[in-house]
Amino acid sequence: DSGVTQTPKHLITATGQRVTLRCSPRSGDLSVYWYQQSLDQGLQFLIHYYNGEERAKGNILERFSAQQFPDLHSELNLSSLELGDSALYFCASSVAAGGYNEQFFGPGTRLTVL
Amino acid sequence: DAKTTQPNSMESNEEEPVHLPCNHSTISGTDYIHWYRQLPSQGPEYVIHGLTSNVNNRMASLAIAEDRKSSTLILHRATLRDAAVYYCILRSTSTSTGANSKLTFGKGITLSVRP
């Protein structure tokens, strides 16, 4: 158990809909990262928040947005869903924002768009 | 980001050592070498990281070439639970930019362990 929790575990929805994925980092971790894992693209970095502020963006679509709240939990919002958005979405946390800090991953949310 | 190259797959026998290679010929002086693994149906997990010297922890050892252009993750006694995809990742030591702290995953090497 990494100490990072993600809800829900599974999500099935229809095209055009909007969903929210939630992540609670390990106690004391200020950084939250979101990654998407699909069969064709592998594991891809989406976005990084540190202590409530956005620090870096990766391959995140404009239909997707995220935020980190004062209690440090984070939400990833996916809207106007398409079939291709079906994937595993992982959240990871680390103590700080530096490139040497270990990231702890949650169990993921499996999103299926029908 | 500097790139890493790994074989697609490797096989090992249970209780034997496994050496997983990684080439990173364009590594810069500020890049740490990190290894993560992803067990089936789980999120990635940290294995080990190093900069210049060889490193040991309870999970594995990391041997880094003198020129730092390659490294090897060593599992001393493979178990069935070690069957996973292993990712070799370079990360900058810079703390100033959030973009440097993301993990850039390649395809990794799929390790199979035979009983």
Side-chain angles (χ1 to χ4, degrees), chain A residues 33 35 37 40 43-45 48 55-56 88 90 97-107, chain B residues 32 34 36 38 42-44 46 49 87 91-96 98-103 105:
Chain A
Y33 305 81
Y35 294 86
Q37 185 171 34
D40 53 345
L43 263 162
Q44 299 230 324
F45 166 72
H48 169 210
R55 293 296 294 268
L88 265 169
F90 290 105
Y100 47 82
N101 290 290
E102 176 183 348
Q103 290 187 15
F104 296 86
F105 283 77
Chain B
Y32 275 96
H34 285 245
Y36 280 73
Q38 188 173 19
Q42 294 189 29
Y46 167 82
H49 77 276
Y87 299 96
R91 298 179 75 197
S92 172
T93 56
S94 169
T95 59
S96 62
N100 289 331
S101 60
K102 69 180 179 185
L103 289 170
F105 290 88

Side-chain angles (χ1 to χ4, degrees), chain A residues 6-12 21 88 108-112:
Chain A
Q6 289 187 248
T7 57
K9 198 165 179 173
H10 300 278
L11 201 47
I12 302 175
L21 313 184
L88 265 169
T109 293
R110 181 174 293 280
L111 173 66
T112 303

